[in-house]
Amino acid sequence: MNSQLDYYLSSINKIKKSDLDSPRSWFTADELASFYKIPKPTFTNKVNVAVISFGGGVFGNITGSGILSYSDCYNYWKSINISETNMPKIIIRELLGVKNTPNEDDGATVNNTVTIQQIGACCPSSNLNIILYIVPNNIDNLPNVLNIILNDKYTPSVIAIPWGTSENILSDDLIQNINNIFETAKSKGINIVAGCNNRIDFPASSPNVIACGGSKIVFDTKKEETKIISFSSNVFSKPDYQYNLNNTNRIIPDIVLNSETNVMYLINKKQYLIKGPTISISILSGFILASGINKFINDIIYWSSNCFNKLSTSLGSIIGDKLSVYINNFVPVLSISFDKENLSLQLNKNKKISLQKCQLKVNVLPLNATNNNITWSSSNSKVASVNSSGLLTFSNKGTVIITASLLERGLNTKCNINII
């Protein structure tokens, strides 16, 4: 089994003089933040994002406490007009014997730098700590690394994993072990963002992870498009939040963002034009951080379609200002129950009345829940049927069970009805 992971960059090219000529055809990181309408961060408390790296490093000086200074990242942020008072702090954590070893010709170093620069451009705040965890490139180490991160003094709001591998080459035991840790992170309100690159990638295929795919922004028209297709997991069944998708297993990606139009970043004091899903992962991570979100967004975003630019796959790309408000104001349904669990109805003996009706009532809690779209079903339509608003129609004697479900939350309640 190949236990190494791949970073998500498809093109790394030093910028040429012709690239600087007007009109240009590439973005800067802050321009992507503006394109997706990512709100400016307003949080006043310290917020942390963990970036997992399976190799390379970042250029700059590291203090004894792990703080990075004199870095390309700070210089890049300055070049796109982020003031020093709004720059995140970068902290390097070297784990399991690995050292920070930046190399301009090493794609892993470029991958790390792109992730940090893009997250900081999307969430420019001195209250943000970007912690780069550099670990050996072996997915067998991931459970240990995740447990270290979850128990670190820098408790993350987001874990960004701009690396991955094919789900098909990993053992079920390893996948389930890692997924259990993801579930623990999710229960703590931590969002894990991973990428997919024209295959069924893990960790992205985990139902406890937000899977981010790539799109292309046509620079001249600023129109967005994608050719990426959806992939179905061979391990994970369909999560409740994908209830409205026509599939039986987990489908990725959840969201797509730019990865196929060049973006300019700074690597070892040199400008590069770069493409790849690492960019989209970093944009989404920055959006979650800037929005101050502390709940698993996949449990919410699948019924907020007006907050997305609809593309040919997945939900589409984010309209950041709308989605931020929707997620932060979202109130989930916690329980549903019938007003009466057992009901006896008298069939009208008047033969001129062939169909009789009764309105069923379901209680949804809390009362201010954002989404309460109930799905109704009957166990015996020959006795009684029920429409989309819970109106029961019956014409024959017998017993029937009516079920009211909130599919995206995995909730349901039943009413036993006896028609006499």
Side-chain angles (χ1 to χ4, degrees):
M1 181 185 75
N2 181 3
S3 58
Q4 291 196 328
L5 293 91
D6 305 317
Y7 56 81
Y8 287 123
L9 296 179
S10 57
S11 176
I12 305 170
N13 295 298
K14 287 183 183 178
I15 205 164
K16 303 187 293 291
K17 184 180 182 302
S18 59
D19 295 320
L20 299 173
D21 293 338
S22 185
R24 62 181 169 95
S25 58
W26 45 267
F27 290 95
T28 55
D30 60 313
E31 289 172 338
L32 289 179
S34 296
F35 179 85
Y36 290 114
K37 298 182 179 180
I38 295 176
K40 298 297 183 184
T42 59
F43 51 82
T44 56
N45 58 309
K46 290 295 181 182
V47 173
N48 306 307
V49 53
V51 178
I52 301 179
S53 166
F54 291 90
V58 285
F59 288 98
N61 297 333
I62 303 177
T63 68
S65 58
I67 297 173
L68 187 71
S69 62
Y70 302 104
S71 165
D72 289 325
C73 299
Y74 300 117
N75 291 329
Y76 180 74
W77 292 332
K78 184 178 180 180
S79 76
I80 57 174
N81 299 316
I82 295 176
S83 67
E84 290 188 21
T85 56
N86 286 331
M87 290 184 186
K89 181 187 293 183
I90 304 168
I91 300 167
I92 308 300
R93 305 282 269 179
E94 302 164 318
L95 301 182
L96 307 179
V98 174
K99 297 295 182 182
N100 179 54
T101 54
N103 183 336
E104 184 181 343
D105 298 322
D106 174 16
T109 293
V110 179
N111 198 62
N112 299 336
T113 309
V114 166
T115 305
I116 294 171
Q117 291 180 5
Q118 186 64 62
I119 288 176
C122 290
C123 186
S125 171
S126 60
N127 286 314
L128 174 63
N129 294 322
I130 302 176
I131 305 101
L132 181 69
Y133 294 85
I134 306 175
V135 304
N137 192 346
N138 188 321
I139 197 169
D140 292 336
N141 293 317
L142 188 53
N144 189 16
V145 170
L146 289 168
N147 283 319
I148 291 172
I149 291 172
L150 293 179
N151 291 285
D152 200 347
K153 64 178 180 179
Y154 300 106
T155 303
S157 297
V158 174
I159 299 175
I161 311 178
W163 298 70
T165 189
S166 171
E167 180 189 83
N168 297 329
I169 68 172
L170 302 176
S171 71
D172 288 349
D173 287 345
L174 178 61
I175 288 177
Q176 292 299 341
N177 185 14
I178 295 171
N179 187 57
N180 289 340
I181 303 173
F182 287 158
E183 189 168 10
T184 298
K186 171 187 167 183
S187 70
K188 295 180 178 181
I190 299 171
N191 281 285
I192 300 169
V193 184
C196 51
N197 191 20
N198 290 325
R199 65 183 181 188
I200 183 67
D201 276 341
F202 184 82
S205 64
S206 164
N208 298 305
V209 169
I210 306 112
C212 203
S215 66
K216 178 179 180 179
I217 303 171
V218 180
F219 189 86
D220 292 340
T221 62
K222 301 300 185 288
K223 290 184 178 179
E224 192 173 16
E225 57 189 35
T226 182
K227 295 180 181 178
I228 291 179
I229 62 174
S230 297
F231 295 89
S232 178
S233 171
N234 295 314
V235 176
F236 297 106
S237 58
K238 180 168 69 174
D240 288 334
Y241 56 76
Q242 289 189 329
Y243 74 99
N244 59 343
L245 300 186
N246 186 23
N247 61 291
T248 56
N249 286 359
R250 162 82 163 125
I251 291 288
I252 62 171
D254 298 300
I255 292 173
V256 293
L257 296 164
N258 178 69
S259 69
E260 295 306 316
T261 301
N262 273 319
V263 186
M264 187 274 285
Y265 300 100
L266 194 64
I267 315 294
N268 197 20
K269 302 178 182 178
K270 302 178 185 71
Q271 292 178 324
Y272 279 78
L273 295 180
I274 295 171
K275 299 177 184 178
T278 287
I279 298 171
S280 56
I281 297 164
S282 306
I283 295 169
L284 185 59
S285 298
F287 160 75
I288 295 170
L289 293 161
S291 300
I293 295 168
N294 57 6
K295 43 194 169 185
F296 183 57
I297 69 171
N298 275 12
D299 281 341
I300 301 171
I301 59 177
Y302 273 86
W303 51 91
S304 57
S305 59
N306 65 334
C307 300
F308 287 86
N309 301 302
K310 186 60 182 173
L311 301 175
S312 61
T313 186
S314 74
L315 287 164
S317 66
I318 65 171
I319 305 172
D321 52 356
K322 288 185 178 182
L323 187 59
S324 177
V325 170
Y326 186 89
I327 293 173
N328 281 311
N329 292 337
F330 185 85
V331 179
V333 175
L334 299 179
S335 68
I336 58 174
S337 60
F338 271 102
D339 196 35
K340 296 180 179 179
E341 293 184 354
N342 296 284
L343 194 60
S344 184
L345 299 175
Q346 181 78 42
L347 195 65
N348 196 312
K349 295 180 180 180
N350 186 349
K351 294 183 179 181
K352 293 182 179 180
I353 303 176
S354 58
L355 296 176
Q356 296 173 235
K357 300 181 184 295
C358 175
Q359 180 64 52
L360 301 177
K361 182 182 178 182
V362 167
N363 300 312
V364 177
L365 294 176
L367 296 177
N368 64 335
T370 302
N371 184 59
N372 56 5
N373 296 322
I374 303 297
T375 299
W376 299 83
S377 63
S378 168
S379 65
N380 189 345
S381 58
K382 291 181 179 180
V383 173
S385 60
V386 62
N387 70 7
S388 60
S389 61
L391 182 64
L392 188 77
T393 300
F394 59 98
S395 58
N396 295 307
K397 294 181 180 181
T399 59
V400 64
I401 299 173
I402 301 298
T403 302
S405 303
L406 195 66
L407 298 176
E408 65 268 28
R409 298 289 296 171
L411 301 174
N412 67 71
T413 183
K414 298 180 185 297
C415 179
N416 300 299
I417 299 175
N418 184 29
I419 298 172
I420 55 178

